[in-house]
Amino acid sequence: MLGNGGLSGRISDAICKLKSLRRVDLHDNDLKGSIPREIGNLSDLSSLIISYNGITGTIPDGLADLS
């Protein structure tokens, strides 16, 4: 969890290589750009919290299947 962490820049595509990732909390930072499309392939991901950032673009298809 890196919420309120003072992070800036983009969400790295490298996050998509963390196949066992279950929860990502990046809220309230200064992140810009889009959500990496491949993040939708993380089958164990159940929570993605990215509110209060400058994220733009579309939501990757696979994120609709989070459980």
Side-chain angles (χ1 to χ4, degrees):
M1 296 196 312
L2 296 169
N4 294 318
L7 299 176
S8 62
R10 302 176 63 86
I11 299 175
S12 173
D13 291 337
I15 200 169
C16 302
K17 295 180 180 180
L18 303 172
K19 299 296 182 190
S20 297
L21 201 58
R22 293 178 186 259
R23 182 173 184 208
V24 176
D25 184 349
L26 298 171
H27 80 280
D28 201 13
N29 281 288
D30 190 27
L31 298 173
K32 308 280 189 225
S34 60
I35 302 168
R37 187 182 62 201
E38 295 80 13
I39 204 166
N41 297 332
L42 297 176
S43 59
D44 289 339
L45 188 64
S46 62
S47 178
L48 176 64
I49 305 168
I50 54 172
S51 56
Y52 302 105
N53 281 289
I55 302 296
T56 59
T58 60
I59 297 172
D61 291 335
L63 289 181
D65 299 328
L66 290 181
S67 57

